[in-house]
Amino acid sequence: MRVACRDCGGLLDVDYEWDQLQIPESLDFFETKWARRNDPHCLSGVWRFHDLLPFAPRSKIVTIGEGQTLLHSSDGVGQFIGLNAGQCHLQYEGLNPSGSFKDNGMTAAFTHAHSIGAKRAACASTGNTSASLAVYCGVSKLMRAVIFIGTGKISYGKLSQALDYGALTVQIAGDFDDAMQRVREVTERLGIYLVNSVNPFRLEGQKTIMFRVLEGLRWEVPDWIVVPGGNLGNSSAFGKAFTELKQLGLIDRVPRIAVINASGANTLYELFERRSLRWNKGAVDHSIVDAYYKELDDQRQRASTIASAIEINRPVNLTKCLRALEVCDGVVREVSDQEILDAKAQVGANGLGCEPASAASVAGAKRLRAEGVIGPNDCVICILTGHQLKDPTATIAYHSTDQEEFNRVLGSRGVHRAEFANRAIAVGNDLDEIIRAIHLYS
Ligand code: F0G
């Protein structure tokens, strides 16, 4: 499948002839679908919005019940960020079947792959895209999954999913950026369907995360969407969702968007905030990007962060994300691994839990609040992209009493404190000692 323009190399976009389609008059139309949830297409949090991603016939849809995710109000996390009560909401995408937001896009790309008769599908991944592809292949048996991962670069939770679901797993001596380049070459050479977010149908599915956010707010538009940035598929999809809703007259304004990089993988931050790279009505100055990538190569600089899901230096959706930033009057920030892990501990302590990359959104919101860019009464949505159990290594190290373990996993990444650690208490196998410890600590 072709994903890029033959002439300019830019990624393709899905564009609808809306005036030829029947579009609901208001968003509350979608509420009626829930009453019909015995139909899998209505149960799916992606396909109940089929009218807003009408690229495939109903008969070709492959769904495994993705998108049953919730918008939680969290005053505890709001307090950490510096927001007034009732203003902080967490969109918990870890609830998806494979444990991350990727299922929203995968059901869409997989549906397209099925509709054109693909028998093999591939992706490069930092772990979640691959887990998601592996699940869809495993459940449907329609395709064989081929996944490309960097050596030592993906967390055990994610790797275990791909292996368990039976994906052909190709471990490349390199990182995600290397794997991404190779998978594009291999899929082209072998005619394998590519499901990375270079695939425009992935983004169509990911638009629905925003539809569910609006649904959770009774169709009110929030002030801010805060999202971690890796390959920049999500942020691009969110911008497209709001552009289309506005164009269709289904919302009257768009929210602002904040994309948060890890500082060890901060290409978007560097290009947008420091080098003023802009969408510029589609005339993006690619020489700025090329010059930056050349600097990275000359200095042999590779992406490096505890948030392995977003350990990416060459985001494939950079251009589309610039468009989203323009449409949504966006900002970009970078946060350190220390900030990410502290924010993650706060998300956990308030009951939901997420993997490190997801917590970048909360850490970024805190930073923007401290700068005064986000106001204390703004309605802020942080996207929790992946489940806490995806990466237990970082969590255990943060809460560990074992200084050596802490230093080994986190110290090397500039994490020196664990302000919100919840440490296990070690006691002998002795009833009195156990009771004394419980009295002492509770
Ligand atoms: N959060 C998590 C948990 C992710 O897995 C990813 C991306 C992102 C955020 C970044 O999202 O790429 O849309 O900007 N993971 C990809 C993968 C790269 O291979 O699983 P993005």
Side-chain angles (χ1 to χ4, degrees), residues 223-365:
D223 297 308
W224 285 95
I225 302 289
V226 190
V227 60
N231 233 355
L232 305 178
N234 252 350
S235 42
S236 301
F238 297 174
K240 188 170 191 284
F242 289 117
T243 306
E244 289 174 349
L245 290 180
K246 182 98 191 310
Q247 188 190 341
L248 295 171
L250 293 168
I251 53 174
D252 53 14
R253 67 180 182 95
V254 298
R256 295 190 69 184
I257 193 165
V259 185
I260 314 299
N261 275 163
S263 42
N266 65 350
T267 294
L268 183 67
Y269 176 71
E270 178 67 32
L271 292 175
F272 186 80
E273 296 289 348
R274 294 219 178 101
R275 304 189 187 201
S276 300
L277 183 71
R278 289 294 181 273
W279 166 248
N280 197 19
K281 297 195 178 75
V284 174
D285 184 351
H286 290 288
S287 68
I288 300 178
V289 185
D290 294 343
Y292 179 60
Y293 287 170
K294 184 168 181 311
E295 278 173 40
L296 288 180
D297 285 344
D298 289 348
Q299 294 159 14
R300 293 177 183 276
Q301 205 174 314
R302 310 301 301 196
S304 173
T305 166
I306 191 80
S308 58
I310 53 173
E311 196 174 50
I312 297 171
N313 262 349
R314 292 171 191 251
V316 295
N317 285 296
L318 176 64
T319 309
K320 287 183 182 176
C321 177
L322 293 172
R323 180 175 64 184
L325 286 165
E326 177 160 299
V327 170
C328 296
D329 189 14
V331 296
V332 183
R333 289 294 180 271
E334 58 171 355
V335 289
S336 66
D337 284 4
Q338 178 79 57
E339 288 170 282
I340 287 174
L341 288 186
D342 288 339
K344 185 178 114 51
Q346 282 292 302
V347 173
N350 284 284
L352 293 180
C354 64
E355 63 167 286
S358 313
S361 61
V362 172

Side-chain angles (χ1 to χ4, degrees), residues 107-269:
T107 183
F110 207 84
T111 290
H112 180 256
H114 176 46
S115 70
I116 63 168
K119 290 288 167 252
R120 286 185 296 182
C123 66
S125 185
T126 54
N128 279 327
T129 306
S130 46
S132 182
L133 174 62
V135 172
Y136 280 84
C137 287
V139 173
S140 72
K141 298 283 182 262
L142 289 167
M143 274 165 249
R144 180 85 209 271
V146 184
I147 67 162
F148 287 55
I149 55 173
T151 298
K153 289 292 182 183
I154 87 173
S155 69
Y156 266 23
K158 300 172 191 178
L159 180 58
S160 66
Q161 287 182 288
L163 297 175
D164 220 26
Y165 296 133
L168 172 60
T169 304
V170 184
Q171 203 168 330
I172 293 182
D175 64 10
F176 174 81
D177 293 313
D178 299 317
M180 188 68 231
Q181 194 190 333
R182 290 297 178 206
V183 79
R184 289 181 81 164
E185 293 164 358
V186 170
T187 49
E188 201 173 319
R189 182 87 66 90
L190 300 183
I192 300 177
Y193 189 93
L194 180 60
V195 298
N196 275 104
S197 57
V198 288
N199 180 322
F201 298 103
R202 276 272 310 276
L203 272 50
E204 289 307 292
Q206 284 166 217
K207 290 189 312 193
T208 65
I209 301 172
M210 290 302 102
F211 303 156
R212 295 196 299 275
V213 164
L214 294 177
E215 191 176 38
L217 296 172
R218 305 301 317 258
W219 311 112
E220 290 286 325
V221 177
D223 297 308
W224 285 95
I225 302 289
V226 190
V227 60
N231 233 355
L232 305 178
N234 252 350
S235 42
S236 301
F238 297 174
K240 188 170 191 284
F242 289 117
T243 306
E244 289 174 349
L245 290 180
K246 182 98 191 310
Q247 188 190 341
L248 295 171
L250 293 168
I251 53 174
D252 53 14
R253 67 180 182 95
V254 298
R256 295 190 69 184
I257 193 165
V259 185
I260 314 299
N261 275 163
S263 42
N266 65 350
T267 294
L268 183 67
Y269 176 71

